[in-house]
């Protein structure tokens, strides 16, 4: 495995880096304080091809692979985890599900709009009482001729209010069976489809998280993806790719916190010398650098397997588990290095600290990742 960055990957990373510094950095704390979801930023990223990174070129996407996708998310997340999270949810979950499992008519209809951010995508699996227990979902879809009637509520949905369409997984069979769910594409404006409560979150505050509600919502059978009963299996495969994106998001946050800490440690003077000279600080930086490097290798391994179409369930879970945990650790150490200043909003690391925690929860908690990994190694 050669993880040397190609010229393409470097170019894509540079494009994302420049965009983040020019258009995101000046406003990130304002968005965080007000919980504003800056939809216009995603429209601009759509013009650069960053909203359809993995969408094949024939559907209007960039047609890139997972190394380029990883680079984009990291560069955006180094500046703002919220924007990185929404970018990942749009690309990996909603758009990724359609790329992998939609029929040709569905791809032709929706992918060009998603790839350019004409449409913003949402993805609905989680429910109020079924987080890790997704197979026991209560949202149902009942066949009625050439239509399906959807009823229920999904929560923790990224872009639940602002998304133009949602890929939704509904129960169409008995609870807790492997073939009890089916996936549907539901457009905003469909009668019976509405948004509910927007969550007031600790971190990732500029990434919109809300309920989506279905009340006798009629969806044509033409919007069903795959055969009835395949939804849960599809979702697990989608989450393999999604976990790589959350690992990349975690690495971006960790790198942002680490780079801010190195700069501060060289500049901050105590006892007539930079605090970087003290072992208590320098050893923290050494741990940060080592953990980030290890996380990067795990993410690159998962990207390589995904690009080659090989099984990636274990490696994606490992990358997501480790990278998310070190994002929390690195950002915690960053606050410690900054001391009292690290606890204020005048310095960047408190935001990395708040944003990092979601990475250990979203798209499968750390505990679920360990369950996935252990099942794979015990096969």
């Amino acid at each position: 495995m050669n993880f040397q960055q190609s010229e393409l990957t470097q170019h894509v990373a540079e494009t994302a880096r420049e965009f983040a510094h020019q258009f995101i950095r000046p406003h990130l704390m304002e968005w965080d304080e007000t919980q504003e979801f800056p939809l216009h930023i995603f429209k601009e990223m759509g013009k650069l091809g960053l909203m359809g990174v993995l969408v094949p070129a024939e559907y209007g996407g960039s047609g890139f692979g997972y190394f380029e996708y990883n680079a984009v998310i990291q560069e955006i997340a180094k500046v703002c985890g919220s924007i990185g999270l929404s970018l990942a949810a749009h690309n990996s979950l909603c758009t990724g599900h359609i790329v992998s499992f939609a029929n040709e008519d569905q791809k032709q209809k929706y992918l060009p709009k998603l790839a350019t951010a004409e449409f913003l995508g949402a993805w609905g699996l989680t429910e109020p009482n079924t987080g890790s227990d997704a197979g026991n979902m209560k949202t149902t879809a009942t066949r009625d001729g050439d239509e399906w009637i959807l009823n229920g509520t999904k929560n923790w949905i990224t872009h639940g209010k602002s998304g133009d369409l949602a890929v939704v997984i509904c129960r169409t069979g008995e609870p807790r069976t492997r073939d009890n769910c089916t996936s549907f594409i539901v457009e905003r404006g469909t009668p019976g489809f509405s948004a509910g409560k927007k969550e007031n979150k600790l971190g990732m505050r500029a990434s919109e998280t809300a309920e989506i509600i279905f009340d006798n919502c009629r969806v044509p059978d033409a919007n069903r993806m795959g055969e009835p009963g395949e939804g849960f299996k599809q979702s697990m495969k989608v989450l393999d790719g999604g976990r790589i994106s959350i690992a990349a998001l975690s690495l971006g946050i960790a790198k942002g916190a680490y780079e801010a800490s190195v700069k501060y440690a060289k500049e901050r003077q105590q006892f007539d010398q930079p605090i970087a000279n003290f072992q208590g600080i320098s050893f923290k930086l050494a741990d940060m650098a080592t953990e980030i490097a290890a996380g990067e290798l795990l993410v690159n391994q998962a990207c390589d397997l995904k690009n080659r179409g090989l099984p990636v369930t274990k490696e994606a879970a490992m990358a997501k588990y480790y990278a998310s945990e070190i994002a929390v650790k690195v950002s915690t150490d960053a606050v410690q290095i900054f001391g009292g200043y690290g606890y204020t909003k005048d310095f960047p690391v408190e935001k990395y600290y708040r944003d990092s925690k979601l990475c250990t929860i979203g798209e499968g908690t750390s505990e679920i990742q360990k369950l996935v990994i252990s099942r794979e190694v015990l096969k």
Side-chain angles (χ1 to χ4, degrees):
M1 291 181 287
N2 179 12
F3 297 148
Q4 181 72 34
Q5 272 199 348
S6 68
E7 287 188 16
L8 173 62
T9 305
Q10 291 176 27
H11 173 71
V12 170
E14 183 179 341
T15 299
R17 186 182 312 122
E18 290 177 356
F19 181 88
H21 284 278
Q22 182 176 353
F23 295 103
I24 298 174
R25 187 174 293 282
H27 308 288
L28 62 90
M29 289 310 296
E30 172 193 344
W31 297 335
D32 184 79
E33 290 285 331
T34 62
Q35 298 195 72
E36 176 186 349
F37 176 61
L39 181 59
H40 66 283
I41 287 293
F42 297 92
K43 300 292 186 183
E44 292 299 320
M45 286 196 288
K47 296 175 184 177
L48 295 175
L50 302 183
M51 297 294 277
V53 180
L54 301 170
V55 175
E58 59 263 37
Y59 302 111
S62 298
F64 296 149
Y66 267 78
F67 285 114
E68 290 74 38
Y69 183 39
N70 171 30
V72 167
I73 293 177
Q74 283 198 45
E75 292 298 337
I76 298 296
K78 280 168 68 174
V79 173
C80 181
S82 293
I83 307 303
L85 174 63
S86 278
L87 181 73
H90 172 91
N91 275 284
S92 288
L93 299 181
C94 178
T95 306
H97 200 138
I98 293 173
V99 167
S100 297
F101 298 106
N103 61 37
E104 187 60 27
D105 288 343
Q106 292 164 343
K107 289 179 180 179
Q108 292 283 357
K109 182 176 181 179
Y110 293 114
L111 287 180
K113 293 180 178 181
L114 289 165
T116 57
E118 179 183 345
F119 275 9
L120 183 70
W123 192 72
L125 177 66
T126 304
E127 297 181 2
N129 294 311
T130 57
S132 298
D133 186 16
N136 195 31
M137 67 180 65
K138 301 295 188 289
T139 299
T140 59
T142 305
R143 187 81 182 248
D144 183 23
D146 290 334
E147 293 182 320
W148 293 80
I149 305 172
L150 277 55
N151 281 289
T153 300
K154 301 286 185 178
N155 73 338
W156 310 114
I157 307 305
T158 306
H159 313 142
K161 282 182 176 287
S162 297
D164 296 287
L165 65 83
V167 171
V168 185
I169 298 86
C170 302
R171 184 162 61 79
T172 52
E174 293 302 314
R176 298 190 187 283
T177 55
R178 296 294 293 177
D179 57 353
N180 72 337
C181 300
T182 304
S183 302
F184 300 90
I185 301 170
V186 189
E187 294 187 43
R188 183 71 64 190
T190 302
F193 175 31
S194 62
K197 174 190 174 187
K198 179 181 176 180
E199 302 297 340
N200 183 7
K201 307 191 300 286
L202 168 73
M204 303 291 195
R205 288 167 60 82
S207 177
E208 179 187 276
T209 307
E211 293 177 321
I212 55 176
I213 301 167
F214 301 95
D215 182 9
N216 290 319
C217 175
R218 287 184 171 267
V219 176
D221 187 56
N223 281 31
R224 168 176 49 82
M225 277 194 287
E227 294 301 317
E230 293 181 346
F232 190 79
K233 294 174 185 176
Q234 292 175 3
S235 299
M236 294 304 101
K237 291 178 181 177
V238 169
L239 284 172
D240 281 345
R243 284 164 182 163
I244 296 173
S245 73
I246 298 299
L249 176 70
S250 303
L251 277 181
I253 291 170
K255 287 181 178 181
Y258 166 72
E259 290 171 8
S261 298
V262 170
K263 183 175 183 291
Y264 184 80
K266 290 178 178 179
E267 295 172 351
R268 171 68 167 164
Q269 296 270 331
Q270 289 288 273
F271 304 100
D272 302 319
Q273 58 185 307
I275 63 172
N277 291 352
F278 297 107
Q279 195 175 84
I281 301 298
S282 64
F283 278 18
K284 273 187 170 58
L285 295 173
D287 284 340
M288 288 172 161
T290 302
E291 288 157 353
I292 289 170
E296 193 139 42
L297 287 171
L298 284 169
V299 175
N300 283 337
Q301 175 183 242
C303 288
D304 177 63
L305 291 171
K306 188 72 173 172
N307 277 349
R308 290 191 284 147
L310 297 175
V312 73
T313 298
K314 179 182 71 175
E315 289 78 7
M318 285 178 168
K320 195 271 186 188
Y321 167 50
Y322 185 79
S324 65
E325 291 292 337
I326 66 111
V328 173
K329 184 177 183 300
V330 167
S331 59
T332 300
D333 285 345
V335 172
Q336 198 70 15
I337 288 170
F338 274 71
Y341 293 112
Y343 204 65
T344 71
K345 293 183 182 294
D346 296 326
F347 289 80
V349 292
E350 67 85 28
K351 184 176 184 297
Y352 292 122
Y353 178 70
R354 288 185 290 108
D355 287 348
S356 67
K357 188 59 192 169
L358 184 276
C359 297
T360 70
I361 299 169
E363 296 194 33
T365 63
S366 291
E367 291 74 20
I368 287 294
Q369 304 314 310
K370 287 192 274 191
L371 181 64
V372 170
I373 295 164
S374 63
R375 283 176 176 171
E376 290 294 311
V377 300
L378 290 170
K379 276 184 177 178

